[in-house]
Amino acid sequence: MKNVWDEHYERPKSKLAFPDENLVRLLSRIKPTNRNALDFGCGSGRHSYLLQNEGFQVTGCDTAKTTIDQLQKESSSIRFLHTPDTNLPFLPNEFGLIVSWGVFHYNKREEAKKLLSSLYNFLDTGGFLLGSIRAEGDTHLGLTKGKMNLQDLSGGYAETYSIEALKEFLSIFSNVSIGYSERTPLGKLEERICHWFFLAGK
C-alpha cells in the first residue's frame, strides 16, 4: 500500500482540509488528562490541526512520505513523522489520545490487530482511541478479494468489518462505544460509503 498512498497524496484533491464531523463530535465527549495526542495515519494532516486547535500537543505520522514531507514544510509546531513500517517510534503510555481515522481497514486483519495492540501500548491509562473503519455494505471501494477497484487507490488492499468483527477487534479496550455513518458519492446514488466510528477507552 505504500506506493499507492504516496501516489494518492500527490493529487491535490487528496489533500482534505476539513475534519470529519463524526470525529469532532467524539472529541467533544472526552477530556483526557494526558494532553499528548497521536494522529495515526494522519494523511493530509487535517485531524492533526484539529487536535492542535483543541489544545493537544500533537504528533502526526503516516506511511506516505509525500504527505509527511509536505506537512513538515508547513508546520513546525506539530511533530510529523514518516513511519514506513510497524516499528513505531513511540513510548508506552505516551499519549492520552490517539486518533486513527480510516486506517485499520487498509491492512489485513492480523496486521490491523498488531497495529491496534501497539497503539494500545502507546496509550496512557485513562486515555482514548478514536477511530473509523469501513463497514460491511460499503460498495464504493469496489472490493474484489481485498483488492480495491477505485481510481485513486486502484490495486490497494482493504477489508470491511461487520459489527461483530469490530467488537472483537476492539475487545482489548475496557469501554467501547460505536456509531455508524453511510453516504453516497456526489452523483453516484447507487454507491454506498459505509463506516463504523468508535470511541474506545483504556
Side-chain angles (χ1 to χ4, degrees):
M1 284 294 293
K2 282 190 286 186
N3 290 338
V4 172
W5 286 116
D6 274 314
E7 292 174 7
H8 177 73
Y9 286 113
E10 287 172 359
R11 302 181 182 97
K13 73 173 188 175
S14 301
K15 296 181 174 71
L16 300 177
F18 298 100
D20 190 292
E21 64 179 302
N22 289 310
L23 177 57
V24 174
R25 289 190 177 108
L26 291 180
L27 279 172
S28 71
R29 299 180 59 167
I30 62 169
K31 292 285 187 291
T33 54
N34 180 338
R35 302 300 289 178
N36 292 318
L38 174 64
D39 185 5
F40 180 72
C42 63
S44 62
R46 59 179 179 149
H47 293 144
S48 298
Y49 294 115
L50 170 67
L51 295 174
Q52 184 183 54
N53 290 338
E54 292 291 322
F56 289 94
Q57 192 72 31
V58 182
T59 298
C61 69
D62 204 283
T63 61
K65 192 171 188 303
T66 49
T67 192
I68 293 299
D69 286 348
Q70 185 60 40
L71 289 167
Q72 287 174 341
K73 293 175 185 175
E74 292 174 0
S75 174
S76 59
S77 57
I78 297 175
R79 180 175 64 150
F80 286 112
L81 302 175
H82 179 226
T83 48
D85 52 45
T86 56
N87 296 314
L88 300 169
F90 307 122
L91 299 173
N93 308 314
E94 183 172 349
F95 302 103
L97 172 63
I98 297 176
V99 170
S100 182
W101 212 256
V103 177
F104 292 120
H105 54 265
Y106 293 119
N107 297 271
K108 292 186 177 180
R109 201 68 57 101
E110 287 307 310
E111 195 65 32
K113 285 183 179 180
K114 290 177 185 177
L115 287 172
L116 182 70
S117 180
S118 294
L119 296 184
Y120 184 87
N121 186 47
F122 303 143
L123 196 61
D124 203 356
T125 301
F128 300 93
L129 171 67
L130 307 184
S132 74
I133 202 163
R134 288 277 180 160
E136 279 188 350
D138 182 282
T139 61
H140 183 62
L141 293 179
L143 291 177
T144 303
K145 295 182 179 179
K147 292 292 184 181
M148 289 185 281
N149 183 24
L150 187 65
Q151 184 177 357
D152 284 359
L153 299 171
S154 180
Y157 184 87
E159 295 189 20
T160 59
Y161 285 66
S162 67
I163 185 63
E164 293 79 13
L166 179 60
K167 287 179 179 178
E168 191 278 328
F169 180 67
L170 296 171
S171 60
I172 59 174
F173 286 88
S174 56
N175 296 295
V176 176
S177 298
I178 297 170
Y180 176 78
S181 69
E182 182 177 305
R183 63 184 177 87
T184 67
L186 187 65
K188 297 181 180 179
L189 295 179
E190 73 284 359
E191 290 188 16
R192 293 290 180 271
I193 301 173
C194 306
H195 284 94
W196 304 113
F197 54 93
F198 57 85
L199 188 163
K202 181 176 179 181

